[in-house]
Amino acid sequence: MVDASVRPDELGTKVTLEGLFGLAGRMAGMVEEQLSLVGSCLERDDPIPAQAVIDGDLQIDKMERKLFADSVSVLALRQPLGRELRQVVSFIKIGAELERIGDLAKNNAKRLLGIGENISQLPQAAFVQLHRGVGRQLDVVSNMIVVQDSDTLLAILREDKELDELYNSIFRDLMNQIAQDKGFVDVGVQGLFMAKNLERMGIMSRMFLKHCIMGFRASFLMVGGQREILRRF
């Protein structure tokens, strides 16, 4: 739903496709920054900066609502066709995926604050590696608009498989530690939810990639191994 605080005259003829590209790019950059901040909290053994992630999520929500409103404005006032129509629809989907990733980053930040000084009990090295992997994926996908290399796309999917294996490793380690140490249950359960959130972020990044391909590189769908790539989604 379009944000009621946005007046109709603010959604007028000044809204352009170029503006949608810029807004989506800024939103992706902010989500990447949120994810990076959560990872640095783990790396530095300090959960306190996680509060900034929680506060920053409000801005991401606001940007998602504006991206949706501006996209609807372009559809209604400009009535685009063909490639431009695909692009505008993709922006609506991309905004939703980024907003969900931001929500998951906020959820992990809240869990870090809940864990507090017990953060060192988590498998921090593995969590940091998983955070960095998801962050790299999101960064590459955010630049998908200018990427036309099937090898780059395949590399993203290969890394997605590696991240799945890393998630499974973290899950097994946490479950084993919970079974062996009842005092670890509270921290371990929080860690399980955090790992699951990161796995879901990876899945959403891949959906982001799909929306970019379908919206911005339709002419690339018939090139090289692109059909094989799409079958993997």
Side-chain angles (χ1 to χ4, degrees):
M1 181 177 295
V2 176
D3 188 355
S5 66
V6 180
R7 302 196 313 272
D9 60 338
E10 292 176 334
L11 302 177
T13 57
K14 291 184 179 180
V15 178
T16 64
L17 272 175
E18 290 76 12
L20 296 180
F21 274 88
L23 181 56
R26 291 193 299 275
M27 185 178 178
M30 181 168 290
V31 172
E32 289 176 42
E33 184 178 346
Q34 294 279 87
L35 184 60
S36 175
L37 185 55
V38 176
S40 67
C41 289
L42 282 163
E43 191 170 5
R44 298 173 183 175
D45 200 11
D46 180 13
I48 301 303
Q51 184 61 48
V53 177
I54 299 172
D55 297 338
D57 187 65
L58 294 175
Q59 183 64 24
I60 292 176
D61 291 344
K62 182 178 179 180
M63 294 180 76
E64 190 273 333
R65 291 194 297 270
K66 179 168 174 53
L67 182 58
F68 180 87
D70 286 0
S71 298
V72 170
S73 177
V74 171
L75 289 174
L77 299 176
R78 299 182 180 279
Q79 300 181 359
L81 298 173
R83 181 180 180 182
E84 288 189 351
L85 176 60
R86 289 194 301 271
Q87 289 177 342
V88 175
V89 172
S90 292
F91 280 125
I92 295 175
K93 296 179 178 179
I94 286 169
E97 297 294 348
L98 287 172
E99 191 273 336
R100 292 189 189 105
I101 294 174
D103 282 346
L104 292 173
K106 180 181 70 173
N107 187 270
N108 274 6
K110 288 182 176 179
R111 294 184 185 280
L112 281 175
L113 288 175
I115 293 172
E117 61 184 13
N118 296 318
I119 189 174
S120 60
Q121 295 181 28
L122 293 172
Q124 288 171 273
F127 265 110
V128 169
Q129 185 179 353
L130 188 55
H131 264 280
R132 288 177 176 173
V134 174
R136 282 195 304 271
Q137 240 184 11
L138 183 58
D139 178 61
V140 174
V141 175
S142 297
N143 292 302
M144 181 58 209
I145 296 174
V146 296
V147 173
Q148 300 187 43
D149 182 4
S150 60
D151 290 337
T152 299
L153 301 178
L154 287 170
I156 293 173
L157 295 176
R158 281 195 296 269
E159 184 167 19
D160 188 67
K161 183 178 179 180
E162 295 172 1
L163 293 178
D164 285 343
E165 293 174 352
L166 182 57
Y167 161 75
N168 290 331
S169 174
I170 291 175
F171 181 85
R172 286 193 301 268
D173 290 346
L174 289 173
M175 288 299 295
N176 288 336
Q177 194 167 348
I178 288 173
Q180 296 171 11
D181 181 6
K182 300 304 180 183
F184 179 72
V185 171
D186 290 342
V187 174
V189 169
Q190 295 291 348
L192 289 173
F193 278 111
M194 288 174 60
K196 186 63 179 178
N197 284 344
L198 285 166
E199 183 196 31
R200 291 173 64 194
M201 289 182 207
I203 293 172
M204 291 173 186
S205 293
R206 191 166 64 175
M207 290 304 299
F208 184 178
L209 172 61
K210 181 178 180 180
H211 299 323
C212 287
I213 294 173
M214 299 302 293
F216 310 134
R217 294 300 173 193
S219 61
F220 185 46
L221 296 180
M222 306 302 293
V223 178
Q226 190 62 53
R227 288 180 176 174
E228 175 62 25
I229 291 172
L230 288 177
R231 282 200 292 268
R232 300 188 188 192
F233 286 105

